[in-house]
Amino acid sequence: MSGGVSNVTVENVHVWGSRRAVRIKTAPGRGGYVRQITYRNLTFENVRVGIVIKTDYNEHPDDGFDPKAVPSLEDINYFSIHGEGVRVPVRMHGSAEIPVRKVTFRDMSVGITYKKKHIFQCAFVEGRVIGTIFPAPCENLDLYDEQGHLIRRSTSQNVSDIDYDF
């Protein structure tokens, strides 16, 4: 991705026996944007990592790229995500240079095979969780109830940068 991707919906997908189920990957030098992406009604079965966002992919077609051209990633939504046998349900790695903003999780229940503490991994990610999800989400995501009432604000997010419409 080197220009822009927006207004994409991925729905009714069953992924099984895979290393990665769904992912977004980019890096400095790509520029552009990834925004208004919605994943809905996904089922994962025996996958290593369910949801991946990686901002340091560092693969370029040639050496002529501008390392100062950084992409923006925002408004990425995950609704009705279910599955069994998932080692790491979520791995989202933004960076100080390329944060991932306005991520939403709602209605997620993924059976895990890896009992490690950090099975929901986030770095430089801002967003929210609506309702109850399993496994437990990252602490840097705001928690809302099903009606959209704030339960717990993340202390690691810059609150003025986030504006959600319910």
Side-chain angles (χ1 to χ4, degrees), residues 42-141:
L42 304 182
T43 302
F44 304 151
E45 184 179 347
N46 298 318
V47 299
R48 285 191 189 174
V49 185
I51 295 169
V52 177
I53 294 180
K54 187 173 179 176
T55 62
D56 64 349
Y57 200 68
N58 290 331
E59 201 172 270
H60 300 282
D62 59 43
D63 292 334
F65 69 93
D66 178 3
K68 294 179 184 171
V70 294
S72 67
L73 284 80
E74 67 178 14
D75 194 13
I76 302 170
N77 306 288
Y78 299 91
F79 304 138
S80 190
I81 312 296
H82 302 282
E84 289 296 326
V86 179
R87 186 171 181 179
V88 178
V90 175
R91 180 178 291 152
M92 293 187 167
H93 291 169
S95 65
E97 188 177 34
I98 309 170
V100 181
R101 299 179 184 271
K102 295 177 84 171
V103 174
T104 300
F105 289 94
R106 182 178 200 151
D107 183 23
M108 180 173 176
S109 178
V110 176
I112 54 176
T113 59
Y114 193 54
K115 304 298 181 191
K116 192 174 177 182
K117 181 179 178 182
H118 302 292
I119 52 178
F120 206 111
Q121 302 170 1
C122 304
F124 296 96
V125 175
E126 298 174 348
R128 65 184 174 167
V129 171
I130 301 172
T132 303
I133 69 168
F134 182 84
C138 301
E139 290 293 319
N140 60 327
L141 299 175

Side-chain angles (χ1 to χ4, degrees), residues 19-37:
R19 290 183 56 170
R20 309 285 183 267
V22 295
R23 69 178 168 178
I24 296 171
K25 56 187 183 178
T26 190
R30 290 289 180 176
Y33 55 84
V34 177
R35 62 179 176 235
Q36 298 164 337
I37 309 296

Side-chain angles (χ1 to χ4, degrees), residues 6-23:
S6 64
N7 300 313
V8 175
T9 299
V10 177
E11 60 186 344
N12 303 322
V13 176
H14 182 187
V15 180
W16 68 95
S18 178
R19 290 183 56 170
R20 309 285 183 267
V22 295
R23 69 178 168 178

